Amino acid sequence: ELQHYCYGVAGCVGLQAMRIFGVVSETGDRFAMALGRALQLTNILRDREEDAQNGRFYIPETWRNDADGGVTRLGQAAAQAFAEADRLATKLPQKQLTPALLMRDIYRLYWQRLTTRPQEHLHPKPKISDIFN
């Protein structure tokens, strides 16, 4: 269910973005799906407390039974998606991917902060300039 949700809210957007960037290939589609999954899992990690307060649960129930409420597994799933996107990005035209790679780098920074300091609420959200500092 989580994978299906990530596709519906982020993967399909990534697929359309790849067309806009002029990247039309199976590798490009797989990159878009992996990156969309990484970004959405990072959003879920970021918003988990607010979502729970509003009765929205995106972390699988079996993971929520973990000692940390599934935070570690969610972080690991995002890490795997980032790694897959990184691997696929090397096979694609970098110039055309620039907007997607910037998003990847911003969100990876955010993911790193969320997974190394999960008790902190990181607001405001990171900006492009944050990846260069």
Side-chain angles (χ1 to χ4, degrees):
E1 288 180 36
L2 179 59
Q3 296 303 325
H4 181 72
Y5 174 75
C6 287
Y7 169 77
V9 299
C12 61
V13 173
L15 292 172
Q16 293 304 310
M18 294 304 285
R19 301 312 184 266
I20 293 167
F21 302 155
V23 179
V24 182
S25 68
E26 180 184 340
T27 302
D29 289 353
R30 289 179 21 233
F31 167 78
M33 297 297 295
L35 183 59
R37 191 168 52 255
L39 302 183
Q40 190 57 41
L41 292 170
T42 300
N43 284 342
I44 292 168
L45 186 62
R46 178 194 66 209
D47 298 337
R48 67 190 184 280
E49 291 179 17
E50 179 183 342
D51 288 339
Q53 290 172 356
N54 290 311
R56 296 186 305 259
F57 300 98
Y58 300 104
I59 299 174
E61 187 173 354
T62 56
W63 295 6
R64 283 185 271 151
N65 294 329
D66 293 352
D68 66 355
V71 170
T72 299
R73 283 205 229 185
L74 190 60
Q76 290 170 342
Q80 290 170 348
F82 278 118
E84 182 181 355
D86 291 345
R87 182 181 60 77
L88 293 165
T90 64
K91 301 174 183 181
L92 295 167
Q94 300 298 293
K95 185 174 183 179
Q96 289 172 274
L97 288 185
T98 298
L101 296 176
L102 284 171
M103 288 294 294
R104 178 200 62 190
D105 293 346
I106 292 168
Y107 267 77
R108 188 190 330 264
L109 173 66
Y110 209 19
W111 169 84
Q112 288 170 338
R113 290 179 183 175
L114 288 166
T115 56
T116 58
R117 299 182 301 221
Q119 70 285 358
E120 292 182 23
H121 294 281
L122 300 175
H123 295 285
K125 296 175 185 173
K127 303 176 295 272
I128 291 176
S129 61
D130 290 342
I131 65 173
F132 300 108
N133 293 329

